[in-house]
Amino acid sequence: MRHACLPVFLASSLLVPSWAQEAAPKRPWSDKAALSYVAVGGNASSQSLGFSNEYKYLWTDATFAFNAGGVRVSTTSIDRTASGPSLGAATVVETRTTKTSTETYYANLRYDHNITDRLQWFGAAGWERNIPAGLEARMTGLGGLGYWWIKADRTKFFTDAGVGYTKENLVFRPAGTDDRFATFRVGAKFEKKLFDTSMFTSELSISDSFKDSQNYLGVWRNALTTSLSSRLALKVGYDMTYKNKPAFVGVPVVQTPVSTPPVILGEVPFQLKKTDTVFTTSLVITF
């Protein structure tokens, strides 16, 4: 196909003035979308959907970025019971119950403005939802400074620090829980071009509350992206989140002895695990 198009390309280039053959100016914006989907059917049933989008707009002295994404996993459990007057005349009844086992979403935006070639100030805002971790929503606003320690073509290293405010809406909120507080955050980002078509990125951010120093949160995101063409790439990612004071969920208390229907006395708080991990593989499309 490439050789068949070559004569047409040569003929058209001879008809275009030399000034028009120059490379078009680089557009100021870029957009990358990633999508992964897994579906299981038959004797077992589950669906997993993951997506993300990274939009960036560049000026000569500033950058605007908007990122959004999420993961949703639903699983269908199958219960079978049989009844009848005899084994040979038994009837099997199948009951399917679908439940969302994982539901996480995020959206954040950031504006960076250069003070010098390496020093810059930034403003950022973010929203996050993580139901398995007991988080209905977390809203954060930040402002601070960033610095490029390495800014080469194949290697980049950037750090920043900022202060702001955080508000959390928890799935279950025990009495005395502080869900609004001033916060500070430090972060680092490393990029390394391994080969001509592969890029490794690693981002680490640690945030903490001014009111309670033990309520810190660490997020570590890693990704290896390999280009398949100018538009398509394969991305493998591993994210880890550590919350030193994780959220609580409410566990219903059933009165004993158990009656029919059961009597629910209320809920008791149960603290979740501190660490969550996510492993993803996805196809990335560049627009």
Side-chain angles (χ1 to χ4, degrees):
M1 180 64 69
R2 178 179 300 175
H3 297 293
C5 295
L6 184 59
V8 177
F9 170 76
L10 292 176
S12 61
S13 64
L14 292 176
L15 299 176
V16 178
S18 59
W19 56 268
Q21 298 179 33
E22 297 178 0
K26 186 177 180 180
R27 65 186 182 187
W29 64 272
S30 63
D31 190 79
K32 295 180 180 180
L35 179 66
S36 61
Y37 178 74
V38 177
V40 177
N43 293 311
S45 180
S46 67
Q47 291 183 339
S48 173
L49 174 65
F51 69 94
S52 65
N53 191 84
E54 301 177 5
Y55 175 83
K56 184 179 291 186
Y57 195 97
L58 300 176
W59 292 274
T60 56
D61 58 352
T63 303
F64 172 79
F66 174 77
N67 301 327
V71 176
R72 187 179 188 276
V73 180
S74 60
T75 305
T76 302
S77 59
I78 304 174
D79 297 321
R80 300 180 181 91
T81 58
S83 61
S86 64
L87 289 178
T91 301
V92 177
V93 178
E94 185 177 87
T95 303
R96 293 174 176 253
T97 304
T98 302
K99 180 181 179 181
T100 301
S101 56
T102 300
E103 187 180 10
T104 63
Y105 306 101
Y106 70 89
N108 55 72
L109 54 87
R110 174 167 171 149
Y111 177 81
D112 292 88
H113 195 95
N114 296 341
I115 299 174
T116 66
D117 184 52
R118 292 182 178 268
L119 180 65
Q120 59 191 43
W121 65 266
F122 74 89
W127 171 87
E128 180 184 1
R129 175 185 175 93
N130 192 334
I131 297 298
L135 184 65
E136 186 75 29
R138 177 188 290 125
M139 289 78 71
T140 304
L142 287 170
L145 296 174
Y147 189 81
W148 289 95
W149 299 92
I150 303 175
K151 206 174 182 181
D153 291 338
R154 300 185 68 91
T155 305
K156 293 181 173 61
F157 182 62
F158 176 80
T159 60
D160 61 12
V163 294
Y165 191 79
T166 298
K167 182 182 183 302
E168 295 180 339
N169 295 333
L170 304 176
V171 175
F172 182 83
R173 186 177 183 272
T177 301
D178 187 14
D179 59 357
R180 304 183 184 193
F181 47 87
T183 185
F184 67 91
R185 197 206 71 173
V186 293
K189 181 176 181 179
F190 174 77
E191 294 184 3
K192 180 66 177 180
K193 192 172 184 179
L194 303 178
F195 307 100
D196 291 340
T197 59
S198 299
M199 175 73 73
F200 172 76
T201 60
S202 182
E203 296 183 55
L204 175 65
S205 67
I206 300 175
S207 58
D208 202 353
S209 168
F210 281 104
K211 186 177 296 185
D212 182 4
S213 62
Q214 296 301 311
N215 191 23
Y216 56 85
L217 170 68
V219 180
W220 187 31
R221 304 183 186 275
N222 302 275
L224 178 64
T225 306
T226 301
S227 299
L228 304 177
S229 68
S230 59
R231 296 286 186 180
L232 296 178
L234 181 65
K235 181 179 180 180
V236 179
Y238 179 79
D239 300 345
M240 182 172 65
T241 302
Y242 180 87
K243 178 73 169 176
N244 192 54
K245 284 189 173 183
F248 289 82
V249 293
V251 180
V253 179
V254 181
Q255 186 182 47
T256 55
V258 179
S259 59
T260 305
V263 177
I264 307 299
L265 300 178
E267 292 183 328
V268 294
F270 178 81
Q271 194 168 28
L272 298 170
K273 293 183 178 181
K274 296 183 177 182
T275 304
D276 288 311
T277 59
V278 178
F279 176 81
T280 58
T281 56
S282 54
L283 186 66
V284 180
I285 305 173
T286 302
F287 297 96

